[in-house]
Amino acid sequence: MPRLSRTQLANTLRFAIARALPSEADAIWTEIAPVFARYPKDQRTPAPGDLKGGYSRMDQSIQQSQVDVMYDLGTAVARELTGSDARRNALLGSCASDAQTANDRTCLETFIRGWGSRALRYPLPAAEVTAFADIAGATPVDRAAVADVITALLNSPWFLYRVEHGTNASQSVSPLSAFELASRLSYQFWQVPPDDELWAAAVNGSLLTESGFATQLDRMLKSPQLQGSLNEFVNEWLRLEELPSLVALRNDPVYQAFVGAEMPTDAVRTAMFEDVQRSAWQTVVSGGSVSDFLNDRRSYTGDPFLAALYGVPVWSGSGPAPTMPSKNRTGLLTRAALLATGTASTRPIHKGYLVRNALLCQQVGAPPPNAADMAPAPTATMTTRQVVTQLTSGGSCGGCHNATINPPGFVLEGFDALGRERDVERLFDPKGLVTGTPSVDTEAEMRVYDAERRVVSSTAELTKILDDSQLFESCVARNYFRFAQARVESSERDGCLLSEMEAAARSGAPMAEMLKTLAQHPTFKQRSFQ
């Protein structure tokens, strides 16, 4: 019984409102948005042993504040949907406003059976329709009474959770019903309730057939609605939100001198995120592979600042995206979202950990408790690499940093803390005056597997090592599994599925095949309490 994520809940509320009053849906959402803003944000839950990362879908906790806000949301939506006789009549039809009262109960039950079933995502049986209608008492079409019914529907466990009983509740593993399968598909790939076509496939039973399921799955993976879910996956997998504001230090003399004449805005920060997300989306819709995503050198930004940083024209959003001209812009590793830091320091430790943990799925030992107190930054006389090496090469730190964390971060020193390409590092005194411009050293001994050591000096070589190892492809599959299933994998329970997803990612097949593999596996169509 997975709880809807905050994103899924927002989408589900908007779906319910739009089905009730489509022409007024946007206006009603604007009215209730302040109430929804109080709903607690899901906390990203990392896998055991990971120091960062994780997915908000994995937060399945329930707090009193969530219950309270959901009740307020239910009453707010109900109040809006019944805010006038005209709105009430649009919900229930002419039977709510005619001179007869004998048909009022039937009028309300018809609304519950129709709108309520779609909001709760399963056909309401007669007994439940009766139970909800009874809430209205003796005045079935009175606006306040109808509002009470809507409030109850929107606070049902069936609305807040994806309830899955399966078709044989006596078994620990049971096939999903058609409606449960429809919801699993729609929330997995679109983060919304089933649309009309998917609902119809559940109603007529075709969704439970092999061909019917394949038809719906293909349709969903080709739909623009997939992009929102893919964006959330990419954002959380690559930890894009860890990039601080690009203007927080705008009054700092060193940051001012580092940035130069034009200060980036937080709109640029957003554009950096979108650039990565659109790369993933374009890879999927164009039939590209996971490897193609890693190596994609096209720019997908319409932001002038970011486009200038890449040395390309702004992209209109349609047609071929411009290719970054520098041979050192080798794809994912060199996108500004993964390079910028919001400071004048490049943070090679952070980038090295990102490569190891998020891109290769390699766990790294936990830092000492006081590590955050020693954040390395260049000085007026020492480069970032020199400071990091001095701070981390000895004692208990050296084992992890020298061989594992620092090398990929050092290779990426060919780009500054805004993501601009560089050959030298400008050093500043506290007043922002340049004190030196030493050459940047990007050479490092890189190990992907413990027994394999290679000297790497460019992002092209680093990207190739990641790609050739195929650990990147396997890691994407593993992370997508965690995002999709809202849990960490179990080798015993999930080994076969994960192996199939990794094989699809590593085969060079379209990236969409990896997404499809998860849904095609028999376990996707089952409810399990094991």
Side-chain angles (χ1 to χ4, degrees):
M1 194 169 72
R3 175 176 63 79
L4 297 186
S5 71
R6 192 176 191 271
T7 297
Q8 292 169 345
L9 178 60
N11 292 342
T12 305
L13 282 166
R14 301 195 72 161
F15 172 88
I17 294 168
R19 288 204 67 83
L21 297 174
S23 64
E24 300 185 74
D26 290 341
I28 292 173
W29 181 256
T30 299
E31 290 297 319
I32 71 165
V35 182
F36 183 78
R38 293 167 31 217
Y39 191 85
K41 292 185 178 180
D42 299 324
Q43 300 300 307
R44 292 175 59 185
T45 306
D50 288 348
L51 307 179
K52 295 184 178 182
Y55 296 99
S56 55
R57 283 188 180 189
M58 293 169 65
D59 180 1
Q60 289 294 299
S61 63
I62 189 71
Q63 309 168 35
Q64 184 63 45
S65 56
Q66 288 169 306
V67 176
D68 293 342
V69 175
M70 194 57 229
Y71 179 78
D72 292 342
L73 279 167
T75 57
V77 171
R79 182 174 60 249
E80 290 294 328
L81 295 183
T82 60
S84 66
D85 286 346
R87 284 186 173 180
R88 186 272 318 270
N89 296 344
L91 288 181
L92 303 184
S94 59
C95 57
S97 57
D98 60 22
Q100 302 181 48
T101 58
N103 64 354
D104 285 357
R105 172 74 180 210
T106 300
C107 186
L108 177 61
E109 289 183 351
T110 300
F111 166 72
I112 295 170
R113 191 175 297 108
W115 181 84
S117 292
R118 293 302 299 273
L120 301 189
R121 306 175 297 280
Y122 75 104
L124 291 173
E128 292 186 33
V129 172
T130 297
F132 280 116
D134 285 347
I135 295 172
T139 55
V141 296
D142 177 77
R143 282 162 49 193
V146 175
D148 287 343
V149 172
I150 293 173
T151 300
L153 280 161
L154 295 182
N155 279 273
S156 165
W158 287 86
F159 187 83
L160 301 173
Y161 296 85
R162 284 196 298 107
V163 180
E164 296 178 346
H165 291 299
T167 55
N168 191 334
S170 65
Q171 296 179 356
S172 58
V173 177
S174 170
L176 295 175
S177 72
F179 297 97
E180 291 167 347
L181 182 57
S183 285
R184 184 177 285 196
L185 271 172
S186 60
Y187 280 109
Q188 167 56 51
F189 293 112
W190 289 353
Q191 307 236 66
V192 296
D195 68 355
D196 289 345
E197 187 171 340
L198 186 56
W199 182 263
V203 170
N204 64 31
S206 63
L207 186 60
L208 296 180
T209 68
E210 185 175 340
S211 61
F213 180 82
T215 296
Q216 292 302 319
L217 179 58
D218 286 343
R219 181 178 72 91
M220 300 188 78
L221 290 175
K222 293 175 181 176
S223 168
Q225 290 195 76
L226 175 66
Q227 187 172 6
S229 176
L230 189 65
N231 286 349
E232 182 178 344
F233 166 63
V234 170
N235 183 70
E236 296 192 344
W237 163 45
L238 296 176
R239 306 157 196 185
L240 300 184
E241 293 290 348
E242 290 184 2
L243 172 59
S245 167
L246 298 180
V247 297
L249 297 178
R250 61 185 175 275
N251 295 322
D252 177 71
V254 173
Y255 189 63
Q256 290 176 342
F258 160 72
V259 170
E262 184 181 359
M263 182 69 63
T265 65
D266 276 334
V268 176
R269 176 178 178 267
T270 300
M272 290 177 176
F273 298 168
E274 292 173 345
D275 175 52
V276 182
Q277 294 166 343
R278 288 168 180 166
S279 173
W281 174 242
Q282 291 297 319
T283 299
V284 169
V285 298
S286 67
S289 66
V290 174
S291 174
D292 290 332
F293 172 56
L294 175 65
N295 290 280
D296 184 8
R297 296 180 55 241
R298 290 164 295 180
S299 166
Y300 300 97
T301 185
D303 181 86
F305 186 98
L306 183 55
L309 188 151
Y310 286 155
V312 296
V314 297
W315 184 48
S316 66
S318 62
T323 299
M324 303 179 202
S326 172
K327 64 180 182 180
N328 294 319
R329 293 279 183 191
T330 57
L332 178 62
L333 290 177
T334 58
R335 293 194 181 275
L338 275 68
L339 298 169
T341 68
T343 71
S345 174
T346 52
R347 299 182 65 194
I349 295 175
H350 170 85
K351 294 172 188 174
Y353 184 80
L354 181 73
V355 169
R356 290 293 183 184
N357 186 248
L359 304 189
L360 296 176
C361 286
Q362 295 175 337
Q363 291 189 348
V364 179
N370 63 339
D373 300 331
M374 301 180 292
T379 70
T381 58
M382 296 179 66
T383 67
T384 303
R385 177 165 183 163
Q386 289 170 338
V387 171
V388 169
T389 300
Q390 183 184 75
L391 184 65
T392 64
S393 61
S396 60
C397 299
C400 286
H401 281 274
N402 293 340
T404 305
I405 300 175
N406 293 355
F410 289 157
V411 176
L412 293 170
E413 281 293 278
F415 297 87
D416 71 12
L418 262 181
R420 299 175 297 200
E421 194 172 347
R422 66 181 183 179
D423 296 316
V424 299
E425 179 175 4
R426 291 178 297 150
L427 305 181
F428 302 96
D429 68 12
K431 295 182 179 180
L433 299 176
V434 176
T435 59
T437 55
S439 298
V440 173
D441 180 7
T442 61
E443 185 175 288
E445 184 180 83
M446 180 72 186
R447 306 184 202 177
V448 175
Y449 297 103
D450 289 340
E452 182 183 26
R453 303 184 184 186
R454 292 173 57 181
V455 175
V456 179
S457 60
S458 71
T459 54
E461 293 174 320
L462 180 59
T463 297
K464 190 173 188 308
I465 285 177
L466 267 58
D467 203 4
D468 288 349
S469 74
Q470 294 202 310
L471 289 181
F472 173 77
E473 287 79 0
S474 291
C475 192
V476 174
R478 185 176 298 271
N479 275 280
Y480 189 74
F481 175 94
R482 293 172 179 176
F483 170 76
Q485 301 286 65
R487 60 181 176 83
V488 175
E489 67 282 355
S490 160
S491 58
E492 180 180 350
R493 175 181 176 184
D494 307 308
C496 291
L497 169 56
L498 197 56
S499 178
E500 291 180 19
M501 292 178 66
E502 290 183 11
R506 298 170 75 158
S507 69
M511 190 170 173
E513 288 299 313
M514 182 195 72
L515 313 185
K516 185 184 290 188
T517 297
L518 183 142
Q520 289 175 323
H521 196 267
T523 55
F524 188 85
K525 301 178 182 180
Q526 298 171 346
R527 185 271 290 145
S528 175
F529 287 134
Q530 289 182 331

